[in-house]
Amino acid sequence: MIEQRGLYFDELEEGVVYAHRPGRTVTETDNVIFTTMTMNTQALHLDAAWSAGQPFGQRLMNSMFTLATVVGQSVPQLTQGTIIAQLGLTDVSFPHPLYHGDTLYTETVITGKRPSSSRPGQGIVTMQHTGRNQDGVVVALVTRSCLMWTREAHAAAQNAVQNEAGQKESAEKGTI
């Protein structure tokens, strides 16, 4: 059986560009649901008539939706099941708006990695995510830091959990 996962700390390479596909075509529904679900009442996302009179002439996708989608597009390829924790997001910018009907594509470059000094078998990875629309125009940039497993340490941790569960099950059967 092959289980889909991201890459372990020891598999990630600095300077490599990871292209995350497929892209995601964003819709008016995405924008309205995300914006209202997060209690963001900004008319620039919700009010077509008002937005028509603003500099971009139309509603913009909520930038927090754009940010979440850019990070989310990287998960299956890079961090699915191999991340311990997201440590932070920095240098977030939106150089060009994303509009309803645009398709968002994300690429990630690993800009740094180092073993954790306090957590053996784990490492800190810094990555630069770039979101582009269907025309290649950059719509989002973000630097992300994650605490990641090494393959060996993750396997050992999973075995320890399985052994503990087996011992607990045996103990419970013995007391019944």
Side-chain angles (χ1 to χ4, degrees), residues 77-88:
Q77 189 174 14
L78 297 180
T79 62
Q80 178 67 47
T82 58
I83 190 174
I84 298 161
Q86 178 163 280
L87 302 176

mmCIF file with all atom_site columns, all heavy atoms in Angstrom, residues 77-88:
data_model
loop_
_atom_site.group_PDB
_atom_site.id
_atom_site.type_symbol
_atom_site.label_atom_id
_atom_site.label_alt_id
_atom_site.label_comp_id
_atom_site.label_asym_id
_atom_site.label_entity_id
_atom_site.label_seq_id
_atom_site.pdbx_PDB_ins_code
_atom_site.Cartn_x
_atom_site.Cartn_y
_atom_site.Cartn_z
_atom_site.occupancy
_atom_site.B_iso_or_equiv
_atom_site.pdbx_formal_charge
_atom_site.auth_seq_id
_atom_site.auth_comp_id
_atom_site.auth_asym_id
_atom_site.auth_atom_id
_atom_site.pdbx_PDB_model_num
ATOM 1  N N   . GLN A 1 77 ? 2.032  17.910 -1.410 1.00 0.00 ? 77 GLN A N   1
ATOM 2  C CA  . GLN A 1 77 ? 3.366  17.629 -1.924 1.00 0.00 ? 77 GLN A CA  1
ATOM 3  C C   . GLN A 1 77 ? 4.462  17.795 -0.872 1.00 0.00 ? 77 GLN A C   1
ATOM 4  O O   . GLN A 1 77 ? 5.473  17.101 -0.927 1.00 0.00 ? 77 GLN A O   1
ATOM 5  C CB  . GLN A 1 77 ? 3.649  18.550 -3.115 1.00 0.00 ? 77 GLN A CB  1
ATOM 6  C CG  . GLN A 1 77 ? 4.907  18.204 -3.875 1.00 0.00 ? 77 GLN A CG  1
ATOM 7  C CD  . GLN A 1 77 ? 5.067  19.043 -5.129 1.00 0.00 ? 77 GLN A CD  1
ATOM 8  O OE1 . GLN A 1 77 ? 4.389  20.053 -5.308 1.00 0.00 ? 77 GLN A OE1 1
ATOM 9  N NE2 . GLN A 1 77 ? 5.963  18.635 -6.002 1.00 0.00 ? 77 GLN A NE2 1
ATOM 10 N N   . LEU A 1 78 ? 4.259  18.699 0.093  1.00 0.00 ? 78 LEU A N   1
ATOM 11 C CA  . LEU A 1 78 ? 5.358  19.022 1.001  1.00 0.00 ? 78 LEU A CA  1
ATOM 12 C C   . LEU A 1 78 ? 5.151  18.612 2.457  1.00 0.00 ? 78 LEU A C   1
ATOM 13 O O   . LEU A 1 78 ? 6.096  18.159 3.102  1.00 0.00 ? 78 LEU A O   1
ATOM 14 C CB  . LEU A 1 78 ? 5.660  20.528 0.943  1.00 0.00 ? 78 LEU A CB  1
ATOM 15 C CG  . LEU A 1 78 ? 6.126  21.058 -0.399 1.00 0.00 ? 78 LEU A CG  1
ATOM 16 C CD1 . LEU A 1 78 ? 6.391  22.551 -0.318 1.00 0.00 ? 78 LEU A CD1 1
ATOM 17 C CD2 . LEU A 1 78 ? 7.361  20.308 -0.888 1.00 0.00 ? 78 LEU A CD2 1
ATOM 18 N N   . THR A 1 79 ? 3.967  18.809 3.018  1.00 0.00 ? 79 THR A N   1
ATOM 19 C CA  . THR A 1 79 ? 3.844  18.660 4.474  1.00 0.00 ? 79 THR A CA  1
ATOM 20 C C   . THR A 1 79 ? 2.783  17.672 4.949  1.00 0.00 ? 79 THR A C   1
ATOM 21 O O   . THR A 1 79 ? 2.652  17.464 6.152  1.00 0.00 ? 79 THR A O   1
ATOM 22 C CB  . THR A 1 79 ? 3.567  20.026 5.130  1.00 0.00 ? 79 THR A CB  1
ATOM 23 O OG1 . THR A 1 79 ? 2.324  20.551 4.646  1.00 0.00 ? 79 THR A OG1 1
ATOM 24 C CG2 . THR A 1 79 ? 4.697  21.010 4.873  1.00 0.00 ? 79 THR A CG2 1
ATOM 25 N N   . GLN A 1 80 ? 2.023  17.053 4.039  1.00 0.00 ? 80 GLN A N   1
ATOM 26 C CA  . GLN A 1 80 ? 0.963  16.126 4.450  1.00 0.00 ? 80 GLN A CA  1
ATOM 27 C C   . GLN A 1 80 ? 1.557  14.972 5.258  1.00 0.00 ? 80 GLN A C   1
ATOM 28 O O   . GLN A 1 80 ? 2.305  14.155 4.741  1.00 0.00 ? 80 GLN A O   1
ATOM 29 C CB  . GLN A 1 80 ? 0.229  15.574 3.227  1.00 0.00 ? 80 GLN A CB  1
ATOM 30 C CG  . GLN A 1 80 ? -0.859 14.576 3.553  1.00 0.00 ? 80 GLN A CG  1
ATOM 31 C CD  . GLN A 1 80 ? -2.017 15.223 4.286  1.00 0.00 ? 80 GLN A CD  1
ATOM 32 O OE1 . GLN A 1 80 ? -2.501 16.276 3.897  1.00 0.00 ? 80 GLN A OE1 1
ATOM 33 N NE2 . GLN A 1 80 ? -2.448 14.604 5.351  1.00 0.00 ? 80 GLN A NE2 1
ATOM 34 N N   . GLY A 1 81 ? 1.256  14.938 6.544  1.00 0.00 ? 81 GLY A N   1
ATOM 35 C CA  . GLY A 1 81 ? 1.703  13.847 7.404  1.00 0.00 ? 81 GLY A CA  1
ATOM 36 C C   . GLY A 1 81 ? 3.151  13.919 7.837  1.00 0.00 ? 81 GLY A C   1
ATOM 37 O O   . GLY A 1 81 ? 3.625  13.041 8.557  1.00 0.00 ? 81 GLY A O   1
ATOM 38 N N   . THR A 1 82 ? 3.885  14.944 7.406  1.00 0.00 ? 82 THR A N   1
ATOM 39 C CA  . THR A 1 82 ? 5.304  15.051 7.756  1.00 0.00 ? 82 THR A CA  1
ATOM 40 C C   . THR A 1 82 ? 5.613  16.300 8.578  1.00 0.00 ? 82 THR A C   1
ATOM 41 O O   . THR A 1 82 ? 6.738  16.470 9.040  1.00 0.00 ? 82 THR A O   1
ATOM 42 C CB  . THR A 1 82 ? 6.180  15.040 6.482  1.00 0.00 ? 82 THR A CB  1
ATOM 43 O OG1 . THR A 1 82 ? 5.775  16.121 5.624  1.00 0.00 ? 82 THR A OG1 1
ATOM 44 C CG2 . THR A 1 82 ? 6.043  13.724 5.737  1.00 0.00 ? 82 THR A CG2 1
ATOM 45 N N   . ILE A 1 83 ? 4.612  17.145 8.759  1.00 0.00 ? 83 ILE A N   1
ATOM 46 C CA  . ILE A 1 83 ? 4.776  18.360 9.554  1.00 0.00 ? 83 ILE A CA  1
ATOM 47 C C   . ILE A 1 83 ? 4.413  18.069 11.012 1.00 0.00 ? 83 ILE A C   1
ATOM 48 O O   . ILE A 1 83 ? 3.522  17.271 11.289 1.00 0.00 ? 83 ILE A O   1
ATOM 49 C CB  . ILE A 1 83 ? 3.901  19.504 8.993  1.00 0.00 ? 83 ILE A CB  1
ATOM 50 C CG1 . ILE A 1 83 ? 4.232  20.847 9.654  1.00 0.00 ? 83 ILE A CG1 1
ATOM 51 C CG2 . ILE A 1 83 ? 2.429  19.175 9.134  1.00 0.00 ? 83 ILE A CG2 1
ATOM 52 C CD1 . ILE A 1 83 ? 3.496  22.032 9.029  1.00 0.00 ? 83 ILE A CD1 1
ATOM 53 N N   . ILE A 1 84 ? 5.113  18.697 11.904 1.00 0.00 ? 84 ILE A N   1
ATOM 54 C CA  . ILE A 1 84 ? 4.765  18.631 13.319 1.00 0.00 ? 84 ILE A CA  1
ATOM 55 C C   . ILE A 1 84 ? 3.988  19.886 13.698 1.00 0.00 ? 84 ILE A C   1
ATOM 56 O O   . ILE A 1 84 ? 2.972  19.812 14.380 1.00 0.00 ? 84 ILE A O   1
ATOM 57 C CB  . ILE A 1 84 ? 6.032  18.498 14.188 1.00 0.00 ? 84 ILE A CB  1
ATOM 58 C CG1 . ILE A 1 84 ? 6.752  17.201 13.826 1.00 0.00 ? 84 ILE A CG1 1
ATOM 59 C CG2 . ILE A 1 84 ? 5.699  18.560 15.673 1.00 0.00 ? 84 ILE A CG2 1
ATOM 60 C CD1 . ILE A 1 84 ? 8.188  17.151 14.249 1.00 0.00 ? 84 ILE A CD1 1
ATOM 61 N N   . ALA A 1 85 ? 4.469  21.039 13.219 1.00 0.00 ? 85 ALA A N   1
ATOM 62 C CA  . ALA A 1 85 ? 3.803  22.302 13.547 1.00 0.00 ? 85 ALA A CA  1
ATOM 63 C C   . ALA A 1 85 ? 4.196  23.377 12.545 1.00 0.00 ? 85 ALA A C   1
ATOM 64 O O   . ALA A 1 85 ? 5.320  23.398 12.058 1.00 0.00 ? 85 ALA A O   1
ATOM 65 C CB  . ALA A 1 85 ? 4.202  22.764 14.955 1.00 0.00 ? 85 ALA A CB  1
ATOM 66 N N   . GLN A 1 86 ? 3.246  24.243 12.264 1.00 0.00 ? 86 GLN A N   1
ATOM 67 C CA  . GLN A 1 86 ? 3.558  25.450 11.514 1.00 0.00 ? 86 GLN A CA  1
ATOM 68 C C   . GLN A 1 86 ? 4.044  26.467 12.539 1.00 0.00 ? 86 GLN A C   1
ATOM 69 O O   . GLN A 1 86 ? 3.360  26.747 13.519 1.00 0.00 ? 86 GLN A O   1
ATOM 70 C CB  . GLN A 1 86 ? 2.314  25.979 10.793 1.00 0.00 ? 86 GLN A CB  1
ATOM 71 C CG  . GLN A 1 86 ? 2.572  27.254 10.033 1.00 0.00 ? 86 GLN A CG  1
ATOM 72 C CD  . GLN A 1 86 ? 1.502  27.549 9.024  1.00 0.00 ? 86 GLN A CD  1
ATOM 73 O OE1 . GLN A 1 86 ? 1.500  26.984 7.960  1.00 0.00 ? 86 GLN A OE1 1
ATOM 74 N NE2 . GLN A 1 86 ? 0.587  28.440 9.381  1.00 0.00 ? 86 GLN A NE2 1
ATOM 75 N N   . LEU A 1 87 ? 5.220  27.009 12.317 1.00 0.00 ? 87 LEU A N   1
ATOM 76 C CA  . LEU A 1 87 ? 5.821  27.910 13.297 1.00 0.00 ? 87 LEU A CA  1
ATOM 77 C C   . LEU A 1 87 ? 5.510  29.372 13.032 1.00 0.00 ? 87 LEU A C   1
ATOM 78 O O   . LEU A 1 87 ? 5.485  30.171 13.957 1.00 0.00 ? 87 LEU A O   1
ATOM 79 C CB  . LEU A 1 87 ? 7.339  27.705 13.335 1.00 0.00 ? 87 LEU A CB  1
ATOM 80 C CG  . LEU A 1 87 ? 7.783  26.280 13.668 1.00 0.00 ? 87 LEU A CG  1
ATOM 81 C CD1 . LEU A 1 87 ? 9.303  26.168 13.580 1.00 0.00 ? 87 LEU A CD1 1
ATOM 82 C CD2 . LEU A 1 87 ? 7.275  25.869 15.040 1.00 0.00 ? 87 LEU A CD2 1
ATOM 83 N N   . GLY A 1 88 ? 5.285  29.716 11.770 1.00 0.00 ? 88 GLY A N   1
ATOM 84 C CA  . GLY A 1 88 ? 4.968  31.110 11.498 1.00 0.00 ? 88 GLY A CA  1
ATOM 85 C C   . GLY A 1 88 ? 4.908  31.429 10.028 1.00 0.00 ? 88 GLY A C   1
ATOM 86 O O   . GLY A 1 88 ? 5.424  30.702 9.185  1.00 0.00 ? 88 GLY A O   1
#
